[in-house]
Amino acid sequence: MDFAFIKEYAPLYVEAGILTLRIGTTGIILSIMVGLAVSAVQYFKVPVLRQIASCYIELSRNTPLLIQLFFLYFGLPKIGIRLSGELCGIIGLTFLGGSYMAEAFRSSLEAVEKIQFESAESLGMNSFQTLRYVIFPQAFATSVPPVVANMVFLLKETSVFSGIALADLMYVAKDLIGLYYQTGEALGMLVVAYLIILLPISILGTVLERRVRYAGFGN
Amino acid sequence: MRDLGINVLFQGTNFWRLLGGLGITLQISLISAGLSVPLGILFGLFLTLKNPIAKVTGRLYLDFIRIMPQLVLLFLVFFGATRAFGWNLSNYFSAILVFTLWGTAEMGDLVRGALISIPRHQYESAEALGMTSLQTYRYIIIPQTLRRLIPLTINLVTRMIKTTSLVVLIGIVEMVKVGQQIIDANRFDYPTAALWVYGVIFFLYFFTCWPISMLAKQLEKKWN
């Protein structure tokens, strides 16, 4: 290990890590918004929109992010739509993440049993109150672990951004390997950088999952 | 612009070459999936062991593989192994190695999940009926485990196919690379080729993975 090299180039990784986090968090927040909208459309069986939503989910879940990005970054400029790499990254991540988030929300909404509606009705609640006080709180709790898992998944997926020339962590590592041939150090720092970003979220996910299971057993 | 960019795909053997690229993608993912399933079953059994050393090593392997982006793993093997051990792995072999290591971890976790989801009373009831432990596994546990496992395994295969798109970044000539070659070779005759080629690749991936996902969904519905 060449520590002088690590010390000299670590700031590049910090910078790239910040880029990864910036695009990642923006993409995740937008994915959650898309996911909420899509799952609401599916849950309340809104006509027409519902078919569009399920087409979107199938398209997004059955294609790789890298291809989505290539289409956005290299394909669209040919018809005059020129997006910056960062914007492509955010759009691609949202397109991919939206469907995963939607599935997480939908399945937790569907996991709320029918008896909950009937009980709320027999207590004289109207349908808004039922959703607000009975259904959503329960669905929210069960959706937390899959949503956190999706966050980890989406942050991991950001690693393909180097394919559209965004200077993310992979890009920096590849650059350093190419420039100085310090493969061990460059890859070591890459692994450490991803661990620093992903490990806390992954641990948080495990803790939350245990809490939710604990809450579920109360029924 | 001479005419519509999509025609580039019907020039010469372009479309067949693209499909050939899809073949390479599928080859890598199916070989890796084929290796991952048996290895993953063994790894899943290993994960259910009570031995503390087995537990810790299993967890470490699983967590490391799952937390690292697959592209990082590809880089570690393709660039790192050459440097660290002097192995000169071809990119094709590195890809299969990485996807097998990754698939084994994912499959192992699925197997472990399916095994621990079988309630204890299934074992106890079988024992109460006087079944031997071989019979218990043969008639009670394995059939139930398989029903939970098969849809999840099929989903893993689609994930494998989608993730294989990354191998273009370590220089394997598969569908995306062939697409890039077609785009570059026809840059002057078909300036809008990129839009159409990437669009077609997008849908080729979709029509490869979608039927498989549908099959998994169907089986899941049927068996639950």
Side-chain angles (χ1 to χ4, degrees), chain A residues 61-62 78 156 160 181 198, chain B residues 66-67 83 162 191 213:
Chain A
R61 287 186 71 106
N62 288 304
K78 304 296 171 197
K156 277 169 66 179
V160 307
Y181 200 51
L198 294 169
Chain B
R66 293 188 87 177
I67 213 164
R83 193 60 196 273
K162 284 187 293 173
S213 306

Side-chain angles (χ1 to χ4, degrees), chain B residues 116-150:
Chain B
I116 60 171
S117 74
I118 307 284
R120 253 188 86 82
H121 65 75
Q122 295 283 342
Y123 291 90
E124 291 164 352
S125 313
E127 206 184 331
L129 288 172
M131 286 183 164
T132 65
S133 79
L134 184 72
Q135 286 172 324
T136 310
Y137 277 95
R138 165 75 184 76
Y139 296 105
I140 312 285
I141 306 303
I142 292 177
Q144 293 189 62
T145 315
L146 280 185
R147 285 187 168 200
R148 285 171 207 211
L149 212 49
I150 288 173

Side-chain angles (χ1 to χ4, degrees), chain B residues 70-121:
Chain B
Q70 290 87 3
L71 191 55
V72 175
L73 297 176
L74 272 176
F75 270 45
L76 279 180
V77 170
F78 185 55
F79 294 113
T82 318
R83 193 60 196 273
F85 311 113
W87 299 345
N88 194 6
L89 304 177
S90 74
N91 46 17
Y92 186 79
F93 183 80
S94 312
I96 291 181
L97 181 63
V98 166
F99 289 125
T100 306
L101 288 173
W102 172 64
T104 302
E106 293 283 350
M107 186 69 200
D109 198 42
L110 297 179
V111 170
R112 185 189 64 96
L115 279 175
I116 60 171
S117 74
I118 307 284
R120 253 188 86 82
H121 65 75

Side-chain angles (χ1 to χ4, degrees), chain B residues 22-208:
Chain B
L22 178 63
I24 301 285
T25 305
L26 288 179
Q27 203 179 344
I28 294 174
S29 35
L30 293 182
I31 292 175
S32 314
L35 291 170
S36 301
V37 169
L39 288 172
I41 291 174
L42 290 179
F43 182 57
L45 292 172
F46 181 77
L47 283 173
T48 56
L49 292 181
K50 295 274 184 285
N51 181 329
I53 299 170
K55 245 182 174 159
V56 171
T57 47
R59 257 334 305 176
L60 273 179
Y61 175 70
L62 181 65
D63 284 344
F64 181 76
I65 295 276
R66 293 188 87 177
I67 213 164
M68 277 298 129
Q70 290 87 3
L71 191 55
V72 175
L73 297 176
L74 272 176
F75 270 45
L76 279 180
V77 170
F78 185 55
F79 294 113
T82 318
R83 193 60 196 273
F85 311 113
W87 299 345
N88 194 6
L89 304 177
S90 74
N91 46 17
Y92 186 79
F93 183 80
S94 312
I96 291 181
L97 181 63
V98 166
F99 289 125
T100 306
L101 288 173
W102 172 64
T104 302
E106 293 283 350
M107 186 69 200
D109 198 42
L110 297 179
V111 170
R112 185 189 64 96
L115 279 175
I116 60 171
S117 74
I118 307 284
R120 253 188 86 82
H121 65 75
Q122 295 283 342
Y123 291 90
E124 291 164 352
S125 313
E127 206 184 331
L129 288 172
M131 286 183 164
T132 65
S133 79
L134 184 72
Q135 286 172 324
T136 310
Y137 277 95
R138 165 75 184 76
Y139 296 105
I140 312 285
I141 306 303
I142 292 177
Q144 293 189 62
T145 315
L146 280 185
R147 285 187 168 200
R148 285 171 207 211
L149 212 49
I150 288 173
L152 296 173
T153 310
I154 297 175
N155 273 331
L156 184 61
V157 174
T158 62
R159 281 169 66 199
M160 196 77 102
I161 295 173
K162 284 187 293 173
T163 316
T164 316
S165 64
L166 299 180
V167 299
V168 66
L169 300 176
I170 59 167
I172 295 183
V173 182
E174 42 68 86
M175 185 159 52
V176 179
K177 195 79 206 171
V178 173
Q180 288 169 350
Q181 291 168 353
I182 295 175
I183 293 165
D184 286 337
N186 298 286
R187 191 155 292 269
F188 296 108
D189 292 337
Y190 296 98
T192 59
L195 178 78
W196 297 98
V197 170
Y198 287 125
V200 166
I201 292 176
F202 180 88
F203 280 101
L204 282 176
Y205 263 107
F206 176 71
F207 285 113
T208 311

Side-chain angles (χ1 to χ4, degrees), chain A:
Chain A
M1 278 286 160
D2 179 349
F3 286 103
F5 180 84
I6 293 182
K7 212 172 153 199
E8 190 176 347
Y9 291 104
L12 285 182
Y13 281 87
V14 175
E15 218 171 283
I18 291 172
L19 178 86
T20 298
L21 275 177
R22 191 173 64 221
I23 301 182
T25 28
T26 317
I28 286 170
I29 293 170
L30 292 174
S31 305
I32 290 179
M33 284 158 48
V34 170
L36 282 174
V38 170
S39 62
V41 161
Q42 290 201 315
Y43 186 66
F44 296 112
K45 302 197 167 58
V46 183
V48 187
L49 282 183
R50 186 176 162 216
Q51 277 80 15
I52 297 174
S54 65
C55 276
Y56 156 66
I57 289 184
E58 295 301 337
L59 271 181
S60 131
R61 287 186 71 106
N62 288 304
T63 48
L65 178 60
L66 188 64
I67 310 298
Q68 299 167 3
L69 290 177
F70 275 4
F71 182 77
L72 289 171
Y73 190 71
F74 298 115
L76 287 186
K78 304 296 171 197
I79 48 169
I81 305 173
R82 211 168 288 278
L83 306 169
S84 74
E86 206 171 316
L87 195 57
C88 282
I90 292 172
I91 296 176
L93 205 60
T94 309
F95 180 78
L96 179 80
S99 68
Y100 281 82
M101 292 296 183
E103 292 284 86
F105 293 130
R106 192 184 51 86
S107 63
S108 43
L109 277 171
E110 280 171 2
V112 179
E113 288 168 47
K114 210 175 156 212
I115 192 170
Q116 300 283 341
F117 284 92
E118 295 162 353
S119 314
E121 207 184 332
S122 68
L123 287 173
M125 287 181 165
N126 63 29
S127 61
F128 173 75
Q129 287 171 323
T130 309
L131 289 174
R132 164 74 183 77
Y133 297 105
V134 180
I135 309 304
F136 287 158
Q138 296 185 61
F140 175 72
T142 32
S143 74
V144 170
V147 167
V148 176
N150 285 343
M151 287 179 182
V152 176
F153 164 73
L154 290 175
L155 283 173
K156 277 169 66 179
E157 286 286 313
T158 61
S159 62
V160 307
F161 287 170
S162 59
I164 55 165
L166 273 175
D168 75 336
L169 291 165
M170 294 303 302
Y171 188 90
V172 169
K174 206 174 166 180
D175 222 27
L176 290 182
I177 294 172
L179 283 174
Y180 304 108
Y181 200 51
Q182 300 267 38
T183 313
E185 288 80 359
L187 290 177
M189 284 195 277
L190 177 68
V191 168
V192 171
Y194 271 114
L195 282 180
I196 291 174
I197 294 177
L198 294 169
L199 206 53
I201 307 174
S202 158
I203 291 172
L204 176 76
T206 320
V207 173
L208 285 173
E209 192 170 352
R210 211 167 290 157
R211 293 285 306 172
V212 169
R213 206 179 305 152
Y214 181 70
F217 282 164
N219 300 334

